[in-house]
Amino acid sequence: MPQEPTPQPETSQPVAARAPEDSGAMAQALEAEAVVPGESLRTEYEQLVDEVRKHRAAYYNEDAPLISDAEFDALYSRLQRLEAEHPEIVANDSPTQEVGGEVSAAFAPVVHLSRMYSLEDVFSLEEVIAWGEKTQANAALRASAHELKWLCEVKIDGLAVNLLYRDGKLVRAATRGDGTTGEDVTHNVLTIKSIPTQLEGENWPAEVEVRGEIFIPSADFAAYNAALIEAGKAPLANPRNAAAGSIRQKDPAETAKRPLQMFVHGLGVRPGLAAATQSETYALMASWGLPVSPYSRVVDTLEEVLGFIAQNGEHRHDLLHEIDGIVVKTDAFEIQRNLGFTSRVPRWAVAYKYPPEEVNTRLLDIRVQVGRTGRVTPYAVMEPVLVAGSTVSFATLHNQDVVKAKGVLIGDTVILRKAGDVIPEVVGPVLALREGREDELREFTMPTHCPSCGTALAPAKEGDVDIRCPNAESCPVQLTERVAHLGGRGAFDIEALGYEAAQALTIGPGEDPEQNGGVIVPAGPGPLRNEAAIFDLASGNPDPALRETLADVQVWREIRSKGAGTGKFQLVPYFYTKATAKKPSGPTRTTEKLFEELEKAKTRPLWRVLVGLSIRHVGPTASRSLATRYGSMDRIIEALEAEGAREALAEVDGVGAIIADALIEWFSVDWHRDIIAAWKAAGVLMEDEQDASIVKHLEGMSIVVTGSLPTYSRDAAKEAIIIRGGKAAGSVSKNTAYVVAGEAAGSKLDKALALGIQVLDEEGFKLLLDGGPDAVQGRPNPEA
């Protein structure tokens, strides 16, 4: 008699469905309103069941979600609670009793040899602890002969697939479907190179079901979308839907064009397999040539489980693929069997979901902003929405071609993603929600003239996609952006010189926002007509006339009542206090701090001065290389004026031909040279002290620093490499000489180890800096 099958759940259970436009509001309303017993309760329940079922179908069967994961989670959680509170109304076909979606008629149905289950989702660490403690206390668990250990895995945001191998040969691949019956997608799965058609090694069962997740790696997804946009096609919405849609292509040749991969994470039917734990099974599957995820760990305590969740949450975008949570399982199969299943989920596993990074919101408008180098960029103005822990109202749209490729219209409901937990990105429109609203929507038209100074816009050179305002010297908004940039951390790092202060220095208060829908429209110009005079405000050499102009600077502030905005605005002084009968007007404490910080900034290293000049393409990496090579602004200018300047500059590591051209062009403009002269006159140091004791024994070596070092900041570590002649690279390759790995080093460390590159901790890094390669020759890797 064959061994009893032990169905394995998916490491990634995609959240079903996104709903029509009012579903988000409906979910919030359902959360807030008390349930009224009787007919209204049953009506509410039936409506909720219909909503959940409809959006599951949109997500699983059509790969075209209509609401965000978070909105669906709210609907589904409310349905679960409603059924728990009123079991008498639960329908036999409730979505809470089902797994996944239905089977599409476009593909042949496949009955799985053992059922594929879903996972119980939880959304807080408290729920993870409660589940873990309940599992520990379970009587069936205590009866087990195996020690309780937790298997932690990342929750891949992809498509669940079941592979059937007979005598080691792949004979069938099917989607999960409803858990019992899936769709036959064998021909499409055979195009994925990472899935073996014949198992390797030995000791694989005569018949075995392998469960896993098909996904598109993050880097490949970005590159694929960039190619689509370049070809004038609409980009794919997200990696999960792209993977699912790829597997459901009618033509396998189309599937083969997509950069699909798979990680396996469990077995269904596997008669005769002797492994006692799921982690042992992963080692076996790897020996058979199956692609097993590198991101799993067996731990002993719930505290370690929480640590795994925290670590991967912090580094989730450093992984090969997108994740939306962490799956926690009991590792021993005997414990899994003792704990058993509900009708939908195993009791021995749970899925913790990170806060949502993708939500839906309304696109209210598309406006443009002018950057510090004159580039005009469209950006989205949206109904404020909470995503990845912060409220977002604006997101860049890059250029007019991207707006067109994304297919968004003003008034659309759009999908918003927080890329890397930092940068808001409009993914695209929810097309299904346009029906009946076509008259309310309008296309975006790129302006022909600068919204700040009125100058005609044009590409910088023929063939450029971006358009720019050529009035760099006099455009008020460009000046604002440059002043804000020079005060930023990557340049002079001037505390108290943020964007608002830069705006107050360079642009007048503009129109009354109360008459303009609450939008503050800058007027310009302000008291600072160009950045040349910025250091004249420093405490060491104050310009009385310039400082006096700051006393007149006013900005619009919303009038607040009991902590809330009133929608009414008033003009108030920005840099100076209001004069009273007892005390005359004077600089505020923040303004005095600005003067002091400007004085301190005069002694910043040369590379920061170069960054602060806002030379196109010249960022921290190129600036460090130039400062290391030449040592002073005067010598850089001499190099620029010498014969063969372009070729000489291009040969500097980290510079190249494009940056060389940008430097030559920038320094050829008279008013740019005037900025340097004014900063020098104000006392800005433009020469680095040369330490004769530093030996350039890292010449030509590419060194990558990753993770957090105890006594070196990332910038300090890079500078230490550069001044010794090395290249502080950002990615690991076969040409990398060393990888310096600190705490939470992530995927760069993994790649270094895979390529056999020597890894150094901070102690080893110091030895390398002091003594060169000979000092670390033969030094073992920290992990060894």
Side-chain angles (χ1 to χ4, degrees), residues 26 53 83 407 437 454 549:
M26 173 186 172
R53 186 176 289 120
E83 291 185 339
R437 298 185 57 246
T549 64

Side-chain angles (χ1 to χ4, degrees), residues 224-262:
Y224 190 82
N225 263 352
L228 289 176
I229 291 173
E230 188 175 347
K233 299 178 181 179
L236 303 175
N238 56 56
R240 187 271 164 195
N241 290 343
S246 301
I247 292 300
R248 291 191 173 102
Q249 292 287 322
K250 297 289 184 63
D251 183 0
E254 291 300 314
T255 302
K257 295 177 183 178
R258 305 284 177 92
L260 298 169
Q261 291 191 32
M262 182 179 184

Side-chain angles (χ1 to χ4, degrees), residues 226-438:
L228 289 176
I229 291 173
E230 188 175 347
K233 299 178 181 179
L236 303 175
N238 56 56
R240 187 271 164 195
N241 290 343
S246 301
I247 292 300
R248 291 191 173 102
Q249 292 287 322
K250 297 289 184 63
D251 183 0
E254 291 300 314
T255 302
K257 295 177 183 178
R258 305 284 177 92
L260 298 169
Q261 291 191 32
M262 182 179 184
F263 280 153
V264 299
H265 55 66
L267 297 175
V269 161
R270 50 359 183 1
L273 194 69
T277 66
Q278 192 148 347
S279 55
E280 289 176 19
T281 305
Y282 290 173
L284 272 176
M285 289 194 289
S287 72
W288 300 341
L290 290 163
V292 177
S293 171
Y295 307 121
S296 65
R297 185 189 307 163
V298 178
V299 300
D300 298 323
T301 67
L302 289 176
E303 184 178 356
E304 291 175 287
V305 169
L306 299 184
F308 186 88
I309 290 172
Q311 180 185 9
N312 284 280
E314 184 178 351
H315 296 281
R316 60 190 293 189
H317 297 290
D318 297 334
L319 306 186
L320 175 68
H321 50 71
E322 291 297 317
I323 65 172
D324 61 355
I326 297 296
V327 176
V328 185
K329 307 172 182 176
T330 61
D331 191 31
F333 286 140
E334 182 185 9
I335 293 176
Q336 292 182 7
R337 285 193 295 270
N338 289 346
L339 291 171
F341 299 80
T342 69
S343 61
R344 192 179 65 88
V345 300
R347 292 189 175 92
W348 43 266
V350 74
Y352 167 78
K353 297 192 68 178
Y354 291 118
E357 291 190 302
E358 191 172 285
V359 297
N360 287 5
T361 188
R362 181 68 65 84
L363 178 62
L364 301 177
D365 199 3
I366 297 177
R367 300 175 187 158
V368 297
Q369 61 185 5
V370 183
R372 61 190 171 93
T373 60
R375 180 187 176 195
V376 180
T377 306
Y379 67 96
V381 181
M382 299 162 295
E383 286 183 353
V385 62
L386 185 67
V387 55
S390 62
T391 300
V392 174
S393 302
F394 305 99
T396 181
L397 287 166
H398 302 289
N399 58 55
Q400 64 271 32
D401 286 3
V402 171
V403 176
K404 184 177 180 180
K406 287 180 181 290
V408 293
L409 301 176
I410 297 169
D412 264 332
T413 296
V414 296
I415 302 167
L416 178 70
R417 177 188 300 143
K418 196 84 166 288
D421 291 324
V422 177
I423 304 169
E425 173 195 7
V426 174
V427 178
V430 183
L431 295 175
L433 300 184
R434 282 184 179 171
E435 188 174 349
R437 298 185 57 246
E438 289 82 358

Side-chain angles (χ1 to χ4, degrees), residues 479-693:
L479 174 58
T480 299
E481 296 287 341
R482 293 199 300 269
V483 170
H485 170 74
L486 73 84
R489 289 185 179 181
F492 282 99
D493 193 15
I494 301 170
E495 194 174 345
L497 184 55
Y499 190 84
E500 188 179 53
Q503 196 170 38
L505 283 168
T506 57
I507 297 179
E511 301 174 14
D512 181 354
E514 190 177 336
Q515 307 301 319
N516 197 39
V519 177
I520 299 177
V521 179
L528 198 69
R529 299 306 172 90
N530 59 61
E531 62 264 50
I534 184 69
F535 288 101
D536 290 335
L537 292 170
S539 56
N541 57 332
D543 181 338
L546 181 59
R547 286 199 176 187
E548 286 172 10
T549 64
L550 298 189
D552 299 325
V553 174
Q554 293 183 306
V555 295
W556 289 104
R557 293 277 192 238
E558 187 174 12
I559 301 170
R560 303 185 71 81
S561 176
K562 297 180 180 178
T566 63
K568 297 183 179 298
F569 294 78
Q570 63 180 347
L571 281 170
V572 298
Y574 186 84
F575 292 105
Y576 276 57
T577 62
K578 278 187 177 181
T580 65
K582 295 182 179 180
K583 191 174 182 180
S585 175
T588 66
R589 289 184 180 179
T590 302
T591 303
E592 293 284 6
K593 188 173 184 64
L594 172 62
F595 298 156
E596 294 167 5
E597 292 296 320
L598 281 166
E599 183 66 26
K600 292 178 184 177
K602 293 178 184 179
T603 59
R604 297 285 193 261
L606 177 61
W607 74 266
R608 288 187 176 275
V609 179
L610 289 167
V611 174
L613 290 172
S614 288
I615 305 169
R616 191 178 178 194
H617 302 306
V618 180
T621 299
S623 294
R624 283 193 180 94
S625 297
L626 289 165
T628 301
R629 172 67 179 82
Y630 297 105
S632 74
M633 187 67 72
D634 288 341
R635 283 192 283 274
I636 290 174
I637 293 173
E638 288 173 9
L640 286 162
E641 294 174 345
E643 187 176 349
R646 183 180 187 274
E647 292 73 18
L649 285 165
E651 289 177 0
V652 176
D653 184 38
V655 177
I658 292 175
I659 294 177
D661 286 339
L663 286 162
I664 293 168
E665 179 183 350
W666 193 91
F667 277 88
S668 69
V669 177
D670 289 342
W671 68 270
H672 289 164
R673 295 284 193 107
D674 291 342
I675 294 171
I676 294 174
W679 287 3
K680 268 189 177 182
V684 176
L685 186 65
M686 295 196 178
E687 183 171 3
D688 288 339
E689 293 184 11
Q690 299 298 313
D691 188 343
S693 66

Side-chain angles (χ1 to χ4, degrees), residues 119-164:
L119 287 174
E120 177 185 355
D121 289 332
V122 297
F123 303 92
S124 70
L125 298 179
E126 290 76 16
E127 289 178 287
V128 174
I129 295 170
W131 172 84
E133 290 176 344
K134 180 180 178 182
T135 303
Q136 287 174 328
N138 191 291
L141 173 60
R142 291 198 297 270
S144 171
H146 286 83
E147 182 183 0
L148 175 61
K149 291 184 180 292
W150 307 104
L151 174 61
C152 303
E153 305 172 348
V154 297
K155 188 170 180 288
I156 305 171
D157 199 10
L159 177 72
V161 170
N162 187 33
L163 309 176
L164 178 61

